[in-house]
């Protein structure tokens, strides 16, 4: 093969390589639009599932409002509210009346009960007579921490027992809260036994 023919063949191969389309924009845009539609559908289905769960829990009574004068605070805690579940079923999340909304929380324990103030979410109150116990646990629906990293308060509301999970900004406070809430729970059990 002569050098001239060789160069001409090389130019022809390079011309063919240069003429190939680098990006198929129509296919790429189609894939991006398809992916956006799949993500939007998944988000919509999750939202509908959340609303459906709230409808199923429609028998749950309204949450007690904070009393005008709750009394002198026994304990205070700042931290996070991680949600509520049916007692003993850590994956059965309760979403009715805003109990499924995670948020910052300020807890105040008084003789009347437990005030839960949540900026950006609905506040609620757990009367002293409704407190059934407290424990340190590692998880509640959608949140798993180290062993003992979550303060779980069990309380009665309507016909249901509810577990609500809280995490203090200072985990060392959890032990004091567990002791105080267990004492209230024991006192409630004794009062009910005396009736």
């Amino acid at each position: 093969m002569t050098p001239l023919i060789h160069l001409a063949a090389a130019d022809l191969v390079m011309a063919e390589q240069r003429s190939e389309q680098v990006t198929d924009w129509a296919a790429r845009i189609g894939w991006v639009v398809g992916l956006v539609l799949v993500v939007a559908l998944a988000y919509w289905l999750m939202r509908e599932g959340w609303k459906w769960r709230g409808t199923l829990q429609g028998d749950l009574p309204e949450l007690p409002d904070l009393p005008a004068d709750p009394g002198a605070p026994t304990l205070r805690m700042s931290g996070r509210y991680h949600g509520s579940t049916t007692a003993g079923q850590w994956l059965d999340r309760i979403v009715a009346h805003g109990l499924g909304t995670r948020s910052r929380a300020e807890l105040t324990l008084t003789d009347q009960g437990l005030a839960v103030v949540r900026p950006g979410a609905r506040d609620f109150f757990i009367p002293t007579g409704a407190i059934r116990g407290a424990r340190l646990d590692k998880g509640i629906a959608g949140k798993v921490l180290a062993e003992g990293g979550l303060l779980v308060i069990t309380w009665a509301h309507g016909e249901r027992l509810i577990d609500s999970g809280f995490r203090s900004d200072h985990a060392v406070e959890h032990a004091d809260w567990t002791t105080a809430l267990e004492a209230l729970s024991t006192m409630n059990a004794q009062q009910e036994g005396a009736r």
Side-chain angles (χ1 to χ4, degrees):
M1 207 179 219
T2 65
L4 189 58
I5 295 175
H6 185 54
L7 285 173
D11 285 342
L12 182 61
V13 168
M14 291 187 64
E16 286 177 11
Q17 287 178 352
R18 275 188 249 131
S19 66
E20 288 182 19
Q21 194 171 6
V22 176
T23 303
D24 183 5
W25 286 105
R28 185 170 284 190
I29 290 171
W31 277 104
V32 168
V33 168
L35 181 62
V36 167
L37 289 174
V38 167
V39 168
L41 176 66
Y43 175 76
W44 180 78
L45 288 171
M46 287 189 300
R47 186 170 173 258
E48 290 301 306
W50 189 269
K51 287 173 23 181
W52 175 71
R53 182 175 278 277
T55 302
L56 288 178
Q57 297 167 349
D59 63 332
L60 194 67
E62 285 293 323
L63 297 172
D65 290 324
L66 299 175
D69 182 24
T74 307
L75 284 173
R76 288 183 187 268
M77 178 173 82
S78 294
R80 294 202 56 82
Y81 168 75
H82 287 290
S84 293
T85 62
T86 302
Q89 299 177 16
W90 74 285
L91 291 175
D92 186 20
R93 184 189 305 260
I94 296 176
V95 301
H97 307 300
L99 287 175
T101 306
R102 289 189 181 155
S103 62
R104 293 280 308 154
E106 298 286 331
L107 276 65
T108 305
L109 183 64
T110 67
D111 291 338
Q112 291 186 31
L114 177 66
V116 181
V117 177
R118 302 185 302 155
R122 183 172 176 201
D123 302 339
F124 62 96
F125 184 73
I126 304 172
T128 301
I131 296 172
R132 297 293 183 261
R135 68 183 185 279
L136 297 179
D137 212 329
K138 64 179 179 179
I140 200 160
K143 186 66 174 179
V144 177
L145 301 164
E147 189 67 45
L150 194 67
L151 172 65
V152 178
I153 300 170
T154 304
W155 54 290
H157 185 57
E159 298 297 317
R160 280 195 193 177
L161 278 180
I162 297 174
D163 282 343
S164 293
F166 301 91
R167 180 167 174 79
S168 174
D169 290 336
H170 309 286
V172 71
E173 296 176 334
H174 288 174
D176 294 338
W177 277 84
T178 304
T179 303
L181 291 167
E182 278 298 318
L184 283 176
S185 174
T186 303
M187 183 181 72
N188 290 339
Q190 290 171 351
Q191 288 175 353
E192 284 192 19
R195 290 182 192 167

